[in-house]
Amino acid sequence: EFRRFLTHLHLLSGSSSDIPLERNISHLLLSVPVPKPGGQCVLVPFSTMNDPMALIMPPLKDLPLVDLSYSRLFAALDVPTVVTIVLGFLCLERKVILISTRQTLLLDCCELLKSLLFPFDLCAPYVPYLTQPFMSCLEFPGATFVGIHDDGKPTGLAKIVRDSIPEDSIIVELDSGEINCDGNRY
């Protein structure tokens, strides 16, 4: 729905409307009420489109809605590997590092794996796209769940992490489907 709202803003930017774009954005963010979980949807009409934007919240005890296809996750990793990551690593609060050369795959897989923890929440620090300035979070005691983009550079973050695996960390290579760990391999 928010993509449709951005399309609406794009169409408005090319028109000769007297209302500034900022007014449309502030109306959506400040005036449109947030729907209640399991309640009625909130309709926001668009002047540039026929169909209104429908904002809906699922009931609290429903499965979490993730606007991503699980086929991307299962194309990168097989089912036993996904089960091992979710039940064996994330539920047991381990340090999990996902690495991929494709940024969108990395971000999608992080979100999808996190959503598979339902009805539980991830209690660990979660950084779906770790950058060099925040590399010190890999040294935190306890669990972390991070994603690292492999840019292929010899001095890149992925190369540094692969060469010196942080203690008690599990590295999941999304491109090959392999799991690498240092220390206890059980």
Side-chain angles (χ1 to χ4, degrees):
E1 290 299 321
F2 289 112
R3 181 176 291 138
R4 289 182 30 147
F5 179 72
L6 291 175
T7 304
H8 167 67
L9 289 178
H10 178 71
L11 293 172
L12 281 178
S13 69
S15 70
S16 61
S17 175
D18 295 335
I19 301 172
L21 291 177
E22 293 83 7
R23 173 81 54 122
N24 287 286
I25 296 169
S26 67
H27 172 70
L28 178 71
L29 297 177
L30 301 174
S31 301
V32 174
V34 176
K36 291 183 172 58
Q40 293 185 356
C41 69
V42 176
L43 298 176
V44 181
F46 293 140
S47 60
T48 59
M49 297 180 189
N50 292 335
D51 297 329
M53 180 168 92
L55 300 175
I56 304 168
M57 288 281 283
L60 290 176
K61 298 194 184 243
D62 241 1
L63 286 172
L65 293 179
V66 180
D67 196 18
L68 299 169
S69 173
Y70 282 94
S71 63
R72 295 213 54 193
L73 175 66
F74 290 111
L77 302 171
D78 59 354
V79 175
T81 304
V82 171
V83 171
T84 302
I85 293 169
V86 173
L87 296 179
F89 302 145
L90 294 177
C91 285
L92 295 177
E93 298 182 353
R94 304 283 185 138
K95 290 183 181 183
V96 179
I97 303 168
L98 269 60
I99 298 178
S100 178
T101 57
R102 297 173 290 180
Q103 279 182 323
T104 57
L105 177 67
L106 178 69
L107 297 173
D108 288 355
C109 286
C110 284
E111 283 297 318
L112 292 168
L113 286 168
K114 187 176 152 238
S115 74
L116 288 174
L117 287 171
F118 182 80
F120 304 108
D121 287 329
L122 186 66
C123 296
Y126 171 60
V127 186
Y129 186 75
L130 185 71
T131 56
Q132 191 85 24
F134 298 103
M135 187 177 160
S136 62
C137 80
L138 293 175
E139 298 169 11
F140 289 167
T144 55
F145 182 37
V146 300
I148 298 175
H149 175 248
D150 184 3
D151 54 6
K153 295 180 182 175
T155 58
L157 183 60
K159 177 74 171 151
I160 293 169
V161 170
R162 281 189 190 108
D163 289 345
S164 59
I165 297 175
E167 189 177 328
D168 299 332
S169 295
I170 292 96
I171 295 180
V172 180
E173 299 280 350
L174 292 176
D175 298 331
S176 63
E178 295 178 2
I179 297 177
N180 302 318
C181 58
D182 191 22
N184 186 359
R185 298 194 180 272
Y186 251 156

